[in-house]
Amino acid sequence: MSLFDQRLSEVHNRLHHKDLSVSELVDASLKRIAETDGKIGAFLTLDEEGARKAASELDSSSGERGLLFGLPAGIKDNIVTEGLRTTCASRFLSNYDPIYDATVVEKLRSAQAVTVGKLNMDEFAMGGSNENSSYHPVRNPWDTTRVPGGSSGGSAASVAAGQVYFSLGSDTGGSIRQPAAYCGVVGLKPTYGLVSRFGLVAFASSLDQIGPITKNVEDAAFVLQAIAGHDGRDSTSANVDIPDYASALTGDVKGLRIAVPKEYFGEGIDPQVKERVLEALKTYESMGAVWEEVSLPHTEYAVATYYLLSSSEASSNLARFDGVRYGVRAEDPANLLDLYRRSRSEGFGPEVKRRIMLGTYALSSGYYDAYYKKAQQVRTLIKRDFDQVFEKYDVIVSPTAPTTAFRLGEQVDDPLTMYLNDICTIPASLAGVPAISIPCGLADGLPVGLQIMGKPFDEATVLRAAHAFEGRTEFHKLRPAL
């Protein structure tokens, strides 16, 4: 068994009894990356020297140990790290070395995790396949001819391949959950505002949320415990009590009320994916949970609503990348406007340009009310759908993605089809509710993800439901034959 297949509690027990050192954990991580990353491409920047130094310091330290003591972690490359290059997988930020840490990185350091490097992604988190990286695509460890999902493809692939113990990703419309489903790992999008966004390079500020990708639910609970909490530097951070998430993992779901929205099982859902999810519901039945079909009637408008809102916010957020303050700068511009135009033309990739143009159009005079304002109104209706269902039910269950991982290049020239891959994950993002993806079986040898959505700030119930299913099945133990 790989060191990284062991649960966090098991690794900590070995560290406590000194039959394992942090340096050995970090060496195992770096060795695995060297062996496999040529096939996968999960990392953009490795910090071998910094990781080994941190491991040595932890090995020689005494006193109380942090929640994530000694665990090697990868960080998505849109989360800033002091002195460690942060590119957002974009040519525009190819020379950007931040002078501060994101709040979540500070919290990981406080919990004594070890950062080994920065993970590949779709440029500025815009994409669903990790083929939009300006450097190289990430490949799925289960089948290297297929995508790992996006935009946190590097975060999911690195955990699935056993390169790191856990990783952090960001989720705007499904960018943690969809790649977790494609790569057969656990991906959690917390409630909007539970985890600080300070230091996360903004894509769509009303949707972006940082969360963990792990091999099992218990570890996701521990990582969430470490990174959750109010942050005065983030104006959208929620000042709520943080419960002990690990104590919620009782394995008991007797009487749990599960809603199954019929809109998530319609056209476009692969029959095998649907079958795996229905089998999962039977497993919940056998544990004493009850489920009923419900309707979230405004789901059909979610994809259009999301891409209008997220692109509009991206248009505004990415205006700061102008070649003046940081990032790439066009050489010998004729004037200021030429500097803006050429720096942005040379620095941004095609998908980023597409979304900036869509967002600028939606926000422009004469179209604002017809598109952006209307999308905000529909978002309210989508959230209202969730609120009404949660009056009667504890969680909502659905497929995470409509299909298993598709082949590299298969959809890259068809943006509309690519956008529809997030049809199951986008509604929870628009509503701001927590959602987790866990493995629930295979279809033609590829992982299928089960999505569990919960009430705002009720991550405890979401984790309890996910952990109970995991305890009755072996799907989370399946590993790619990389």
Side-chain angles (χ1 to χ4, degrees):
M1 178 185 284
S2 162
L3 282 172
F4 297 164
D5 284 335
Q6 298 175 25
R7 294 183 179 278
L8 185 149
S9 53
E10 295 170 329
V11 173
H12 271 192
N13 188 51
R14 293 186 62 185
L15 288 166
H16 178 73
H17 289 96
K18 298 191 183 301
D19 65 341
L20 177 68
S21 69
V22 179
S23 293
E24 287 175 309
L25 275 175
V26 169
D27 285 344
S29 173
L30 295 173
K31 181 182 177 184
R32 181 66 174 168
I33 292 167
E35 291 172 346
T36 60
D37 211 48
K39 303 173 187 176
I40 299 172
F43 279 85
L44 289 175
T45 303
L46 262 183
D47 186 20
E48 293 188 46
E49 182 180 348
R52 286 198 166 100
K53 180 182 176 185
S56 178
E57 290 173 352
L58 289 174
D59 280 331
S60 60
S61 66
S62 58
E64 191 173 339
R65 293 183 168 183
L67 192 62
L68 306 176
F69 179 82
L71 299 180
I75 310 294
K76 188 176 179 179
D77 205 29
N78 61 345
I79 300 171
V80 302
T81 41
E82 183 178 1
L84 185 59
R85 185 148 294 179
T86 300
T87 70
C88 293
S90 176
R91 297 291 180 193
F92 211 115
L93 291 177
S94 58
N95 61 358
Y96 179 53
D97 297 317
I99 58 173
Y100 68 101
D101 278 329
T103 297
V104 289
V105 175
E106 290 179 353
K107 285 177 172 283
L108 289 187
R109 294 196 201 287
S110 296
Q112 297 178 307
V114 179
T115 299
V116 298
K118 304 302 288 292
L119 293 161
N120 204 350
M121 56 184 281
D122 282 306
E123 184 182 6
F124 284 104
M126 298 181 192
S129 67
N130 222 139
E131 294 170 284
N132 293 324
S133 170
S134 294
Y135 299 98
H136 53 80
V138 180
R139 296 175 179 272
N140 194 316
W142 287 82
D143 179 349
T144 54
T145 69
R146 296 179 183 268
V147 304
S151 62
S152 305
S155 299
S158 64
V159 173
Q163 295 178 334
V164 292
Y165 194 84
F166 71 90
S167 67
L168 292 187
S170 69
D171 191 308
T172 307
S175 289
I176 287 174
R177 291 161 286 157
Q178 185 241 39
Y182 284 178
C183 292
V185 291
V186 173
L188 172 64
K189 181 199 85 72
T191 305
Y192 182 80
L194 183 70
V195 176
S196 172
R197 293 187 303 110
F198 179 78
L200 174 67
V201 179
F203 162 19
S205 302
S206 73
L207 295 157
D208 297 341
Q209 188 65 147
I210 298 170
I213 296 179
T214 60
K215 284 202 176 77
N216 60 70
V217 175
E218 182 183 295
D219 291 354
F222 279 113
V223 179
L224 181 64
Q225 195 79 50
I227 64 175
H230 181 250
D231 179 13
R233 295 174 294 184
D234 174 9
S235 62
T236 61
S237 178
N239 193 359
V240 296
D241 292 333
I242 307 300
D244 179 3
Y245 294 117
S247 67
L249 309 181
T250 61
D252 180 18
V253 290
K254 189 173 182 179
L256 185 78
R257 297 165 299 171
I258 300 172
V260 181
K262 62 182 180 181
E263 290 82 5
Y264 287 66
F265 292 85
E267 186 179 352
I269 305 298
D270 181 275
Q272 289 192 69
V273 170
K274 182 177 179 179
E275 188 176 336
R276 297 293 91 78
V277 174
L278 293 176
E279 288 169 358
L281 289 169
K282 290 178 182 177
T283 300
Y284 276 114
E285 276 185 341
S286 71
M287 292 187 284
V290 294
W291 66 273
E292 292 178 355
E293 185 177 84
V294 299
S295 178
L296 296 172
H298 294 94
T299 297
E300 64 177 302
Y301 307 114
V303 172
T305 299
Y306 168 80
Y307 279 100
L308 276 168
L309 294 177
S310 64
S311 297
S312 297
E313 293 183 25
S315 170
S316 176
N317 279 324
L318 270 62
R320 72 193 69 182
F321 300 104
D322 54 13
V324 175
R325 288 155 289 190
Y326 44 76
V328 300
R329 182 179 183 135
E331 294 183 6
D332 302 320
N335 51 48
L336 187 61
L337 286 178
D338 188 49
L339 171 66
Y340 293 160
R341 180 182 61 81
R342 287 177 47 213
S343 295
R344 289 167 69 81
S345 295
E346 296 165 13
F348 291 141
E351 182 62 26
V352 175
K353 292 176 183 175
R354 180 184 292 120
R355 299 204 195 190
I356 289 173
M357 292 173 69
L358 174 61
T360 303
Y361 179 83
L363 292 173
S364 61
S365 177
Y367 297 101
Y368 178 92
D369 285 350
Y371 293 105
Y372 181 76
K373 182 180 177 181
K374 184 64 69 177
Q376 288 284 31
Q377 292 170 332
V378 176
R379 181 181 189 174
T380 300
L381 296 176
I382 291 169
K383 184 181 184 304
R384 199 171 292 167
D385 287 347
F386 277 86
D387 292 342
Q388 289 172 352
V389 168
F390 283 132
E391 288 177 2
K392 185 177 178 183
Y393 299 93
D394 300 308
V395 295
I396 299 172
V397 165
S398 77
T400 305
T403 67
T404 54
F406 49 90
R407 295 192 182 278
L408 287 155
E410 189 175 315
Q411 298 181 11
V412 73
D413 295 322
D414 185 356
L416 290 179
T417 299
M418 184 77 78
Y419 294 169
L420 288 171
N421 288 307
D422 291 333
I423 193 168
C424 297
T425 53
I426 280 173
S429 294
L430 291 170
V433 300
I436 194 170
S437 177
I438 58 174
C440 68
L442 301 176
D444 294 328
L446 296 170
V448 175
L450 178 75
Q451 180 176 223
I452 304 170
M453 298 166 272
K455 301 173 185 177
F457 302 107
D458 192 15
E459 277 77 5
T461 299
V462 172
L463 288 164
R464 175 166 66 92
H467 179 258
F469 177 80
E470 198 176 78
R472 284 292 188 101
T473 60
E474 300 288 315
F475 303 126
H476 64 288
K477 296 180 180 179
L478 299 175
R479 299 287 177 261
L482 185 65

